[in-house]
Amino acid sequence: LMGHGIAQTAAMAAAKDNIHSSIIAFESDQKFLDSGRDRIQKSVDKLVSKEKLTSSQADALMGKITFTTDRDALNDTDLIVEAIIENMDLKKQLYSDLGQQCKPETVFASNTSSLSITQMAEASGRPEKFVGIHFFNPVQIMKLVEVIKTEYTDPTVFDNTV
């Protein structure tokens, strides 16, 4: 439920300030990907109707997001923010897989609010490149983000994330 808000918020920053070249919204199941895309589109349409965004800004925002079910699209990313269900075994498996799949420079971030960031970092095989980024809901409205480091997190990775 939070992934679409995180993708929208990143795309808004990308479209406004050109700080990200692109945002990849990944879901393993097409129906969840479509649902997330629809939620973002409805939220963006609402901003246009309230005149908080122009139609061209909305188009630019949506154009920054690549929606995909192909996990290989994550291979060359700089930062991955995970927002899957709060299940440690699933998260550990995901990070173990991503740790082997993604380029060595990729930083991983979990949006968990209750599970151990350190355990996920260890599972990734690159704990020095791991942080927690806890967004508050609804992400696209709340301007509050908690960034968490572990005992392993490289200080430069943490500073760049903040």
Side-chain angles (χ1 to χ4, degrees), residues 134-162:
H134 180 229
F135 290 86
F136 290 79
N137 211 5
V139 177
Q140 62 274 33
I141 295 171
M142 298 292 290
K143 299 198 184 287
L144 180 61
V145 178
E146 175 185 30
V147 182
I148 303 114
K149 61 183 173 180
T150 73
E151 62 187 276
Y152 304 114
T153 306
D154 181 307
T156 303
V157 168
F158 181 76
D159 291 345
N160 288 342
T161 305
V162 173

Side-chain angles (χ1 to χ4, degrees), residues 22-23 29 33 44 57 63 70 73 77 79 88 90 112 114 136 146 149 155 160:
S22 67
I23 310 303
D29 187 312
L33 184 67
V44 169
Q57 288 171 319
D70 179 7
T77 57
L79 173 69
M88 182 59 87
L90 286 176
T112 188
S114 61
F136 290 79
E146 175 185 30
K149 61 183 173 180
N160 288 342

Side-chain angles (χ1 to χ4, degrees), residues 127-138:
E128 71 285 354
K129 295 194 181 306
F130 203 104
V131 295
I133 299 182
H134 180 229
F135 290 86
F136 290 79
N137 211 5

Side-chain angles (χ1 to χ4, degrees), residues 26 28 70-77 80 82 84 88-104 106-108 119-126 130:
F26 166 78
S28 58
D70 179 7
R71 195 161 75 182
D72 287 343
L74 303 175
N75 290 353
D76 197 39
T77 57
I80 294 176
E82 162 270 313
I84 65 174
M88 182 59 87
D89 291 336
L90 286 176
K91 289 179 184 277
K92 283 180 165 181
Q93 185 61 56
L94 174 67
Y95 284 120
S96 175
D97 293 346
L98 290 173
Q100 295 174 26
Q101 172 183 340
C102 295
K103 68 181 182 179
T106 301
V107 174
F108 299 136
Q119 288 181 30
M120 288 180 262
E122 290 169 342
S124 75
R126 52 176 90 176
F130 203 104

